[in-house]
Amino acid sequence: MNNFFKYVFLGGIFLLHSLEISFASIVSTGDFNKDFFVTWSPSHVNTSTDGRSRSLKLDQESGSAFASNDMFLFGQFDMQIKLVPGHSAGTVLAFYLTSDQPNRDEIDFEFLGNVLDQPYILQTNIYADGFDNREERIHLWFDPTKDFHTYSVLWNLHQIVFMVDFVPIRTYRNHADKGVAYPRWQPMSIKMSLWEGSNWATNGGKDKIDWSKGPFIASFANYTIDACIWKGNARFCRANSETNWWNKEELSSLTWMQRRLFKWILRNNYPNYIYG
């Protein structure tokens, strides 16, 4: 009888552990009102009645921003974005993950406003243990102001992959075993912001923002969050399970098709410059 209760107890512990891992993962609701909150200038944030789309506005009065209610440790984050149209020099739209700690980890998409009819520049950056200097820039191969395009981050134990319409444009491998810092312990929230970066964003800061061309508006829609919600214990998010699909060994590197697409990006000279 004692063995019976022992097995029941151990079985209960195993079930509880499994459920905790399962509940730690989320597939987003798709409703900006439910998954995010406004962090800067509510008057400059406009959300559709059904919560399925949202826009940020920048003018001389203020920029604007919103952030996720939850924090995450690993997963995939997809956001459809339509960038500021027209003459947008001096503006910066950011879609990023950040731990908001002094030694912060951060994974950044930054869209640098451009002079009319010039190609949009997308800058990516990674902070690990508070240090960055890992910026890379590419020219996008389409006009991102005409329609929505999907910008994604896959973040797992093995690598970080930046994707545009699911085409990989950058990878950052986990070489922590060789002493290279990698975001792997700090949970991060999702943030979006639109702000003025006249001192550096366009042509090295030579092209300033022209407020007469404003207000500047960027739009968001059809996002997906499939990630491990932070519950205070990293082991649940680091576990290799059916729920934590992003940690599977087959996602430790790019697939054959992704490698071909990545080579296509490099071959066509879309990279603008690379640090580090």
Side-chain angles (χ1 to χ4, degrees):
M1 202 63 175
N2 287 338
N3 284 338
F4 172 77
F5 285 116
K6 177 181 177 182
Y7 293 139
V8 169
F9 175 76
L10 292 176
I13 293 294
F14 175 78
L15 179 60
L16 184 62
H17 175 72
S18 300
L19 287 173
E20 192 161 5
I21 290 175
S22 177
F23 291 149
S25 179
I26 183 174
V27 177
S28 56
T29 66
D31 187 334
F32 284 97
N33 289 321
K34 292 181 179 178
D35 291 332
F36 298 91
F37 67 101
V38 176
T39 57
W40 182 22
S41 191
S43 64
H44 286 52
V45 180
N46 183 54
T47 308
S48 64
T49 304
D50 62 4
R52 298 291 164 173
S53 62
R54 174 169 283 182
S55 64
L56 293 179
K57 182 172 73 172
L58 167 67
D59 58 20
Q60 285 181 285
E61 178 186 331
S62 179
S64 49
F66 61 96
S68 61
N69 294 324
D70 292 305
M71 301 190 78
F72 309 93
L73 185 63
F74 306 127
Q76 182 160 320
F77 310 86
D78 307 323
M79 181 69 69
Q80 287 194 355
I81 304 173
K82 183 159 61 174
L83 299 185
V84 176
H87 187 96
S88 58
T91 69
V92 179
L93 175 68
F95 162 43
Y96 61 111
L97 307 174
T98 181
S99 65
D100 285 330
Q101 298 297 321
N103 61 328
R104 79 181 186 274
D105 290 340
E106 194 167 290
I107 303 170
D108 299 342
F109 276 112
E110 291 179 314
F111 303 90
L112 310 184
N114 67 325
V115 175
L116 187 64
D117 297 327
Q118 294 298 309
Y120 241 98
I121 291 176
L122 167 57
Q123 176 171 290
T124 58
N125 194 13
I126 296 170
Y127 281 77
D129 294 334
F131 295 97
D132 62 341
N133 197 30
R134 299 180 180 88
E135 297 99 337
E136 292 188 9
R137 289 183 176 183
I138 70 165
H139 286 115
L140 292 171
W141 55 96
F142 53 85
D143 185 345
T145 71
K146 298 296 186 185
D147 205 350
F148 286 95
H149 291 267
T150 304
Y151 302 90
S152 307
V153 171
L154 170 66
W155 170 37
N156 61 30
L157 285 167
H158 316 289
Q159 63 176 345
I160 295 167
V161 183
F162 294 86
M163 293 174 280
V164 177
D165 290 333
F166 305 105
V167 174
I169 61 164
R170 181 182 183 180
T171 63
Y172 183 80
R173 303 280 301 163
N174 183 354
H175 292 303
D177 59 333
K178 299 177 182 177
V180 180
Y182 183 84
R184 57 196 175 120
W185 294 107
Q186 298 188 73
M188 295 194 266
S189 60
I190 308 166
K191 294 192 175 183
M192 271 69 55
S193 60
L194 179 59
W195 45 283
E196 181 192 356
S198 283
N199 61 329
W200 68 277
T202 309
N203 196 19
K206 294 178 182 178
D207 294 306
K208 308 297 185 182
I209 199 164
D210 182 351
W211 293 112
S212 71
K213 300 292 194 297
F216 304 98
I217 296 175
S219 303
F220 304 83
N222 299 325
Y223 67 89
T224 302
I225 305 168
D226 195 347
C228 186
I229 299 177
W230 179 249
K231 299 293 186 181
N233 192 328
R235 66 191 175 101
F236 296 118
C237 295
R238 296 171 65 86
N240 187 344
S241 66
E242 287 302 318
T243 304
N244 295 352
W245 58 268
W246 48 83
N247 284 333
K248 291 184 177 298
E249 187 63 31
E250 55 263 36
L251 292 173
S252 62
S253 61
L254 297 181
T255 66
W256 173 81
M257 180 56 73
Q258 284 178 320
R259 286 195 297 271
R260 289 195 64 180
L261 292 169
F262 191 40
K263 288 179 180 178
W264 173 75
I265 292 289
L266 297 176
R267 186 168 60 246
N268 285 278
N269 298 313
Y270 288 115
N272 182 264
Y273 72 77
I274 296 175
Y275 283 128

